[in-house]
Amino acid sequence: MTEPQLRECFGCGLFQLVPALGPDMRSNCLRCGTTLRHTRANSLDHCLAVTAGGLVAFIVLWTATLMQVSQVGIVHETNLMSGPAELVRHGLWPLALAVAFTTAIAPLAMFAGTLYVLVGLRMRRPPPGLARVFLFARKMGVWAMLEVLLLGVFVAYTKLGDLVHIEVGPAVYALGALAILTVWADNALDPAQVWEEIERRGQSHDRLPPVPPIAFLPGAVGCEACGLVSVPAHDRARCPRCGSALHARKPDVINRTWAFVIAGAILYIPANYYPVLTVIQMGAGAPSTIMGGVIELLDSKMYPLALLVFFASILVPVFKLAALTAMLITAKLAASNPGTALWLRERTRLYYIVAWVGRWSMVDIFMESLLGALVQFGAAVNIAPGIGAVAFCAVVILTIFAAEGFDPRLMWDAAARNPHRLPADPAIESEGSLAQRA
């Protein structure tokens, strides 16, 4: 059973008291519906076992054979490192770095960091730096894209069926197991319980107040990393539990998000103009753009695959750029504009959809990396990635930065729904005091 806790909703900015929760219970924001706390039964032990299994599967994934392809008497065996290596050979080292980071470095850091913290919390004398390691592991989880890689392997396997003879290796099965274990571990973990245990074991960044606040106090700030509500003494204060910098709102969020959105929109043009893939079969073939690849799949009657590529590579980036633009505009409008108060709850949900869906656009990048590594049979069949893939990958990364950097609470601030964020006004304060106690 947890204790009642004061929390700030990071979807709308409302401070509210989360009641004591038993195992497998959820508390949602009263105003926007964002999850404030979701407890799990035996969260630490359960997640420890699943994370350990995921780390073993990860080792198998990166050491075993992924696929074996053959054509005209030539046989190629490849693993996941072959894709980035082939991209480097073509001079596309930025793309190789992005693929290696999202499929190897970030997942390894996430699994190893989480395992370090969970094992450390079971020890009589915990190792140092549990808070910093857990912070780092949680941040790496944003960039670990093993489930997207699994979809990319499936798309590559389907496209290769007409070109070469292909057999899957043990790494594919390890990847399938790893994708399941990653989702399982994420659902099994209660991050708030980890932070509470780190605090209990005396590894907080600074001394915490003996009695946590259970009512809103002027100047209170919720830590975006661990959720602890505290009243910082100065502008550059850090969370006393995890050590993260405390901000009432993410600093300079409007300008930074606009910069990422504009840069992504600009790069979206060369991403669709320049070829992302070149397939040469028996001396014939031509470079293909993203839309050209969709048309080729339609011509081959691979309708579900064409729909998948079109959705992930064409619609999702446009949807993210348009949605973020709309949210930026509403967050910048003055509180006196009545339009800023429309569909606030729905726009907050839209933000979380945008933050989740963008990673799936990497499926095209992973597919092209695998195809380039697998199909190198000289004049018979040859596949090479193109410069358009670099621009497209940059669009995906920039939109992820934009979504992660945006603060949806600003939309509620602009609609005057957070009186504690506005200049003192008796009428507003009277209206907002009830919301802060809700």
Side-chain angles (χ1 to χ4, degrees):
M1 179 73 70
T2 65
E3 297 293 330
Q5 298 173 338
L6 182 67
R7 287 294 186 93
E8 180 183 8
C9 174
F10 297 115
C12 69
L14 180 69
F15 284 86
Q16 53 206 289
L17 188 64
V18 175
L21 301 175
D24 292 320
M25 295 183 67
R26 183 194 300 268
S27 176
N28 294 334
C29 176
L30 298 170
R31 188 162 66 178
C32 71
T34 298
T35 298
L36 301 175
R37 177 81 185 263
H38 190 181
T39 59
R40 307 289 186 177
N42 301 318
S43 173
L44 301 185
D45 293 338
H46 191 178
C47 188
L48 174 59
V50 177
T51 303
L55 194 57
V56 172
F58 183 85
I59 295 173
V60 175
L61 171 64
W62 281 95
T63 56
T65 299
L66 179 69
M67 292 182 184
Q68 177 179 289
V69 295
S70 58
Q71 178 75 356
V72 294
I74 305 174
V75 178
H76 281 170
E77 285 189 354
T78 185
N79 54 37
L80 284 180
M81 287 302 298
S82 304
E86 185 65 22
L87 292 172
V88 171
R89 193 177 72 83
H90 284 86
L92 305 177
W93 61 265
L95 195 59
L97 182 61
V99 172
F101 180 75
T102 54
T103 60
I105 300 172
L108 178 60
M110 179 186 68
F111 278 110
T114 304
L115 196 63
Y116 176 85
V117 173
L118 295 178
V119 171
L121 291 176
R122 294 177 61 89
M123 299 171 63
R124 179 175 298 179
R125 293 185 178 180
L130 293 182
R132 292 191 297 272
V133 173
F134 192 58
L135 272 176
F136 182 71
R138 298 294 291 174
K139 290 178 180 178
M140 288 297 100
V142 175
W143 299 98
M145 301 183 184
L146 294 173
E147 71 281 14
V148 185
L149 175 62
L150 178 62
L151 185 58
V153 170
F154 169 75
V155 175
Y157 179 86
T158 305
K159 290 195 70 171
L160 287 174
D162 294 335
L163 296 176
V164 295
H165 176 71
I166 182 169
E167 296 180 2
V168 298
V172 173
Y173 300 103
L175 177 59
L178 188 55
I180 295 173
L181 289 171
T182 301
V183 177
W184 190 355
D186 187 60
N187 288 330
L189 183 64
D190 178 6
Q193 185 180 358
V194 177
W195 288 117
E196 291 165 359
E197 190 65 17
I198 290 174
E199 176 185 339
R200 190 182 70 82
R201 301 300 294 272
Q203 291 216 13
S204 298
H205 176 75
D206 203 349
R207 181 176 298 178
L208 277 76
V211 180
I214 58 173
F216 174 77
L217 297 173
V221 175
C223 176
E224 297 172 16
C226 70
L228 180 71
V229 174
S230 58
V231 181
H234 49 84
D235 292 340
R236 296 185 179 181
R238 291 191 170 272
C239 174
R241 182 161 66 183
C242 70
S244 299
L246 291 177
H247 305 287
R249 295 294 182 264
K250 295 178 181 179
D252 201 26
V253 61
I254 298 295
N255 291 334
R256 287 190 294 108
T257 307
W258 269 123
F260 288 132
V261 169
I262 292 172
I266 293 173
L267 286 173
Y268 187 72
I269 298 172
N272 285 272
Y273 178 78
Y274 289 105
V276 296
L277 206 65
T278 301
V279 181
I280 303 297
Q281 188 172 15
M282 304 305 293
S288 174
T289 62
I290 296 175
M291 184 57 73
V294 174
I295 295 174
E296 290 175 5
L297 291 172
L298 289 173
D299 293 339
S300 302
K301 302 188 183 304
M302 297 182 182
Y303 302 119
L305 197 58
L307 181 62
L308 172 64
V309 174
F310 179 75
F311 177 80
S313 302
I314 303 294
L315 290 186
V316 168
V318 172
F319 164 74
K320 287 194 68 175
L321 292 170
L324 286 167
T325 299
M327 287 185 281
L328 283 166
I329 292 173
T330 57
K332 192 63 177 176
L333 293 177
S336 59
N337 191 321
T340 59
L342 295 176
W343 308 102
L344 274 172
R345 187 183 179 100
E346 289 72 19
R347 277 187 272 143
T348 303
R349 291 177 177 175
L350 176 64
Y351 165 75
Y352 288 112
I353 292 173
V354 166
W356 175 81
V357 76
R359 62 197 292 112
W360 292 95
S361 295
M362 286 293 288
V363 64
D364 216 26
I365 300 299
F366 295 150
M367 176 197 68
E368 291 156 12
S369 171
L370 292 170
L371 292 178
L374 287 167
V375 185
Q376 297 294 327
F377 296 102
V381 184
N382 190 284
I383 296 180
I387 191 63
V390 178
F392 182 75
C393 184
V395 172
V396 177
I397 292 174
L398 286 170
T399 54
I400 292 176
F401 273 125
E404 291 295 322
F406 182 70
D407 195 335
R409 293 172 293 180
L410 293 175
M411 296 187 293
W412 296 79
D413 293 347
R417 295 302 179 88
N418 292 320
H420 60 288
R421 294 284 301 161
L422 298 173
D425 184 295
I428 294 178
E429 291 295 336
S430 176
E431 179 185 351
S433 60
L434 177 62
Q436 297 304 322
R437 293 196 300 267

